[in-house]
Amino acid sequence: MTVETKLHLIGNAHLDPVWLWRWQEGYAEIKATFRSALDRLNEFPDFVFTCACAAYYKWVEENAPEMFAEIKQRVAEGRWVITGGWWIQPDCNLPSGESFARHSLYGQRYFMEKFGVMAQVGYNVDSFGHHGMMPQLLKQSGMDYYVFMRPGAHEKTLPHDLFWWESEDGSRVMTFRLAGSYGNWASIGMEDKIISHRNMAVASSHAFMSFYGVGNHGGGPTIENLKLIHEIQQRPGLDDIQLSSPNQYFSEMMKIVPDIPVIKDEMQMHAVGCYSTHSESKATNRRVEHRMLTAEKFSTLANLTLNLPYPSEALYRAWENVMFNHFHDIMGGCSIKEAYADVQEFYGEALSIGAKAINAALQKISWSINTMKPGVKSLNKEMDWQLWEQDNLGSPLVVFNPLSWEVEAPIGINKQLAGVADAAGRALPIQTIRASRTNTSDKWDTLITGRIPAFGYQVYWVYRDKPCDPMEPKGAAQAEGCLLENNKLFVELDPDTGYIRHVIDKLNGFREVLAGDGAVPIVLDESHSDTWGHGLTQYRDEWGCFCNAELKVLETGPLRATIRVISHFGNSVLRQDISLLHDSSDLHVKVRLDWREQHKMLKLAFPVNVEQPRAVFEIPYGFIERPANGNEVPGQMWVNVSGNEPGTTAEGIEPSVVFGLSLINDTKYAYDVLDNELRMTVVRSPIYADHFGERDEQSEYMDQGVQEFVYILSPHAGSWQDSGVVHKAYELQTPLQQVWETYHEGNLPQVSEGIVISSENVVAVAFKPAEDGNGWILRCNETYGREVETDLFIPVLKRSWRSTFGKCEIKTFFIPAIQHEPIKEVNFLEMIKIKEREMPNED
């Protein structure tokens, strides 16, 4: 008689390649653990081993090929089960949405290439939290199931440990939360765990999973573990306990179709301190993620336009480095100090590869632009730009935009100029600004405002001695004393504290944006917190504030006006350069913090002048609304607080969002919103890898010293979707690129547009060659939570098509190299068609 399985015992080894040790030690432990697992497979015919993370398999392939061959054999037998499908078990809140796509692309394709299989089950059993768009990312990764452990039952109440998890776009994956740990470190207590989990299965009327095996530093299932399991299986009534795998468990669950709930939520919160630890690695991660995408886009454009070889191998190596650094104990900032020197080396290599790829592509393109002008042909084309100026012909400067919409932004030019004109010859307003150099009298740069086509470029003509007589800039900015003003905003700073006393929105009824002082640098005590923030939901124990401010006007306009505020706390110094651009409703703040505090936290506070506030946060490839309850939460590039204008809320009337404030930044990931006050966590200074251990004079504290970042305050009328926050956030992270050129003929025009997307809420994030080399990949996502039909056009490919995007939907378009073949939708892996249909309205 067949016994129905009540408990699936999952033999696994959760391996931390970095934590309380460096990656070299993790490398060795992975080999030792895999050898142990192979030995157990030889000794116990019914044993099944489960392991995730493509990076581990690649290490073994490179360093122990004979063992790798054994693993391939066991995978083919079905006794070594590959799960996860991603390069590593990442932090599941902090990497960008596109980074998750790359974990899938490179992880699953590696497994398919080496083993002929792909992971069916997403597997992040030790990650500290899981954002709400994970179901769509998993489905796009070829995985229909998910297993996780954190947050535990004490941190988040779920109606059932087995459930359908649904994201905003409607994607669903069957998900299981582990009850208890992903492993065990001795047989003591293992018996109780097995019996307890079996009882849960009986109570739930369907099977459960129970994980066993020595983890973290490695080891996997032991001989003692397996002997105990066999002994338990022989007891009366316990023959429904089976050595199994996550694949087998979910396969059985799909057959019986259990009555389980649908949950549309994020799986949070655990270790809330990890969203703000180790500022340097988090800042570098944000920078390198965007640089990699820029490198891919321009390398693709240069390849298509001018046959520049695409640097596939180098960019792949760079992505491996970035993905490895996403490991949850690295990205979460809870590893030892020595590990972060390695982290910066990995990021440094990726940044260098990205920079070289960008430079090669842009130089190739700019060298092919026709920069000849009337009168130039009489000159030697090799003359330098100083000689060209003698005839007032100007010098060409090419400015590139990597984003999929036209960008209007300030452009700093590293020379003092008398005039600047665009490609059409229109004179532009300029402003002389302070340079970073101090070379005798040569300490000035020039600021202009440029308008660069989507995924394209424009040539600007710059003149050292020839003024261009431009029109006055619209909405000129000005600064005087404690005041900043243009045609859209009036800003007043407090002369004693340096806080932002008033922000008046002149376009929307001279509305006061803030409900009190803003940009208040609040210092909090965090001595009660370990590195992770275990057991905490908030950081609100205020200790003091930066004060004794010094204010100085740095720039008076007309394109940009800036006031510098320097304030102090203890041994720390905070410098904020608060700038207002002409014709802009955004306040830009460049921050330099010299932090010297221990077991303290710094937050910047902004009380928003609204009632019934709603807080919305960007998450990877999506957004989420959370309660304004003061809890410390993760977010990506932006957070928004919107609500009703004060005094307009009446009892019994359905409230509507009429006003709000977005906060955008380029390096930070932690926030809290309590009622109408938004706070951004700037820095924490716990001890490295401290779980309330010995705190003495030899303890090493995080984030001591100087760090720099930028944030933007963007007030708006209407909902956050109507505020432009998504585009503004990308523009902050993805700077315009410049190449100085000379005079030469070429087959490219002086202005070029690389992509046309008809809907502003659809963003093209990635553009690259297909992995199989037979076409190109364009990945887009809907950013507002609004269904939309969109026309897309890529001029260099001469391909146009129409597509409908659902709420927060991610679409990957495969564009075949053969012109007459139809464009298809594929998943992240570029291997499986999402829809068996051609794109309509293709030209």
Side-chain angles (χ1 to χ4, degrees), residues 2 5 57 90 95 201 322 351 416 456 470 526 549 756:
T2 302
T5 303
Y57 292 85
V322 175
L351 285 167
Q416 186 174 4
E526 62 149 18
V756 180

Side-chain angles (χ1 to χ4, degrees), residues 3 10 38 91 301 330 368 538 548 558 584 587 604 679 697 725 747 750 817:
V3 176
I10 312 300
L38 288 168
D91 180 279
L301 186 62
I330 296 175
S368 300
Q538 301 182 348
N548 301 322
S584 172
L587 204 58
L604 287 171
R679 293 183 177 184
E697 70 280 357
V725 63
N747 59 0
Q750 293 188 14

Side-chain angles (χ1 to χ4, degrees), residues 552-591:
K552 180 181 180 180
V553 174
L554 296 185
E555 299 171 327
T556 57
L559 299 183
R560 184 173 69 196
T562 302
I563 298 176
R564 171 166 289 177
V565 178
I566 300 177
S567 53
H568 306 267
F569 177 90
N571 296 316
S572 302
V573 181
L574 176 66
R575 188 180 80 192
Q576 299 191 79
D577 291 347
I578 304 174
S579 298
L580 187 60
L581 302 174
H582 77 101
D583 196 34
S584 172
S585 57
D586 300 331
L587 204 58
H588 292 245
V589 185
K590 183 178 180 181
V591 180

Side-chain angles (χ1 to χ4, degrees), residues 150-196:
R150 297 188 174 100
H154 63 291
E155 295 163 320
K156 184 178 182 64
T157 300
L158 295 174
H160 203 287
D161 286 317
L162 181 66
F163 57 94
W164 290 107
W165 188 14
E166 183 176 298
S167 52
E168 187 67 27
D169 68 301
S171 298
R172 284 186 185 180
V173 290
M174 184 180 282
T175 302
F176 183 83
R177 178 171 70 178
L178 300 182
S181 174
Y182 47 74
N184 56 281
W185 285 259
S187 288
I188 298 174
M190 182 175 172
E191 178 178 348
D192 291 341
K193 176 181 176 181
I194 290 173
I195 299 303
S196 172

Side-chain angles (χ1 to χ4, degrees), residues 326-488:
H326 288 153
F327 182 72
H328 53 271
D329 286 323
I330 296 175
M331 194 84 208
C334 50
S335 295
I336 57 174
K337 180 181 179 182
E338 295 85 349
Y340 288 98
D342 301 325
V343 167
Q344 289 306 315
E345 288 181 359
F346 288 156
Y347 276 142
E349 183 183 29
L351 285 167
S352 178
I353 289 171
K356 291 175 181 177
I358 291 169
N359 181 67
L362 299 190
Q363 296 271 1
K364 185 71 172 179
I365 295 170
S366 67
W367 192 249
S368 300
I369 296 172
N370 187 348
T371 55
M372 302 298 286
K373 300 178 67 175
V376 170
K377 292 184 180 180
S378 64
L379 295 177
N380 183 338
K381 298 177 188 177
E382 296 181 359
M383 288 181 177
D384 65 23
W385 79 287
Q386 285 90 344
L387 292 178
W388 302 334
E389 288 294 336
Q390 293 178 6
D391 290 332
N392 290 324
L393 295 175
S395 301
L397 176 68
V398 189
V399 182
F400 293 84
N401 168 24
L403 297 171
S404 61
W405 57 89
E406 181 183 74
V407 171
E408 183 176 9
I411 300 170
I413 303 173
N414 68 330
K415 290 177 175 61
Q416 186 174 4
L417 303 170
V420 179
D422 64 15
R426 291 182 290 263
L428 302 180
I430 66 172
Q431 178 179 332
T432 299
I433 58 174
R434 184 68 161 82
S436 60
R437 63 188 177 277
T438 308
N439 182 13
T440 60
S441 61
D442 181 21
K443 62 179 183 180
W444 302 105
D445 284 346
T446 301
L447 183 71
I448 65 171
T449 299
R451 188 184 292 270
I452 316 299
F455 188 34
Y457 62 82
Q458 176 166 192
V459 174
Y460 289 90
W461 293 92
V462 302
Y463 303 88
R464 187 180 63 177
D465 300 316
K466 173 188 172 183
C468 291
D469 193 24
M471 297 179 60
E472 287 295 316
K474 180 181 179 181
Q478 54 187 314
E480 182 178 359
C482 301
L483 306 178
L484 292 162
E485 188 171 10
N486 66 5
N487 58 327
K488 295 181 178 177

